[in-house]
Amino acid sequence: EAPTAGAGSWRRFSPEMDLRWQESRALEAALRIAVAEEQFELHYQPQVALPGRHLTGFEALIRWRHPERGLLTPACFLPMAERLGLMQRIGAWVLREACRTAAAWPRPLRVAVNISPAQFEDESLPAAVEAALADSGLAPDRLELEVTETVLLATGDAALAQLLTLRARGVGIAMDDFGTGHSSLTQLRAFPFDRLKIDRSFVKDLPAGGDALAIVRAVTGLGRSLGIAVTAEGVETQAQLQDLLREGCDAAQGFLFGRPVPGSDVPAVIGALAAA
Ligand code: C2E
Ligand code: MG
Ligand code: MG
Ligand code: MG
C-alpha cells in the first residue's frame, strides 16, 4: 500500500534498513574512538624500478585494527572518516608513522604516503609534513606524497600552492590512479608532478592488447616526453610485467613483487628482494 504522510510514514523503513543504520552509527562511534586511541596501522608494499626490479621503497597503506572485526581495509572506513571530518587527524598520524618507520630503513629507500583532499584544508599540509620530517629525521627526498587529481579539482589553487611548497622542500609528488579521472591531462599542466601512477584498472587488462595496452603506451610516452617517471600499479603477472617492460615503464608495484606487509616485516622483504 502507498505510504501516507504523517503518522504512518515510518512504515517505509524496513527492519533491515534500520539495522544497517544502527550498524553504521556504531561504526561511526567506533571510528571516533579509533582516532582518539590510534587503532590504526600502516602496511607497506614494495615499489621496484624497471627493468631490474630493484627495490626503491614502499607505499604506506592504512589499516584499522578494529577491536572486534579485525583488520579493516581503507575502503571500509576512509569514506566515513572523510564524511565525519576525521581525515586531517588520521592523515597527520599516517605521515608521522610512515616517516618514523621509513627513517629506520636503509638509505635511499623511500616511503610513499597517500594524501586525501581534506588534508589540504586550512593550508595545513606543509606544516603536517614538516612536523613528520622533523620528528623522524627523515630526509625530505625520501618522502613521496601520492595525490589523486580530485585534490586539484576540489581544492584548486590552495592545494597547488601547498604542493609547490612541499616540492620546493624536496618532497616528491606523485599523481595516483592516473587516467581514471576526468581531467588527468589538464592536471599535468597545472602542476609539475614527479611521477604518474598508471591505475590498476589499465594494468589489469594487460596483456590482452587492445585499449589497455594502447593506454599504457600513451602514458609511458607522455612520461618520457614530459620527463615524469611512470609507475604501473597492481602488477600481478609476468605477462603484465613483460608488456610494461616493452613499453619502457620506469617502475612497478603489485602482488607480483609483494603484497602490503606490516612494518615489522619490511626488513625481511628488503632482504628477500635484495637476494632475488
Ligand atoms: P592506492 O593508493 O591506489 O593503493 C593501491 C591499492 O591497490 C592498495 O589497496 C593495494 O593493497 C592494492 N594493490 C596493490 N597491488 C595490487 C595488486 O597487484 N592487485 C590488486 N588487486 N590490488 C593491489 P588498499 O590498501 O586497500 O588501499 C586502497 C586505497 O585507499 C588506496 O589506493 C588509497 O587511495 C587509499 N589509502 C590507503 N591508505 C591511505 C592513507 O593512509 N591515506 C589516504 N588518504 N588514503 C589511503
Ligand atoms: Mg597510492
Ligand atoms: Mg593508486
Ligand atoms: Mg587506487
Side-chain angles (χ1 to χ4, degrees), residues 24-41:
S24 81
R25 291 315 301 268
L27 198 64
E28 283 178 17
L31 186 56
R32 291 184 194 280
I33 294 169
V35 172
E37 297 185 353
E38 300 185 341
Q39 290 171 3
F40 302 107
E41 46 189 82

Side-chain angles (χ1 to χ4, degrees), residues 45 59 62-63 74 78 114 176-177 200 233-234 236 254-255:
Q45 185 178 35
E59 179 175 3
I62 195 169
R63 307 288 181 254
L78 283 190
N114 294 284
D176 207 350
D177 305 341
R200 192 171 81 217
E233 297 190 304
E236 295 184 355
F255 295 168

Side-chain angles (χ1 to χ4, degrees), residues 35 41 49 86 116 151 218 266:
V35 172
E41 46 189 82
L86 299 171
S116 116
V151 160
V266 165

Side-chain angles (χ1 to χ4, degrees), residues 94 96 104 109 119-120 162 169 177 189 230:
V94 170
R96 279 198 316 274
L109 289 179
Q119 292 176 262
F120 289 89
Q162 293 173 75
R169 259 300 261 143
D177 305 341
R189 294 186 68 190
V230 174

Side-chain angles (χ1 to χ4, degrees), residues 199-219:
D199 191 68
R200 192 171 81 217
S201 57
F202 302 115
V203 174
K204 181 171 65 62
D205 291 337
L206 298 175
D211 291 351
L213 184 59
I215 287 165
V216 167
R217 181 169 297 159
V219 177

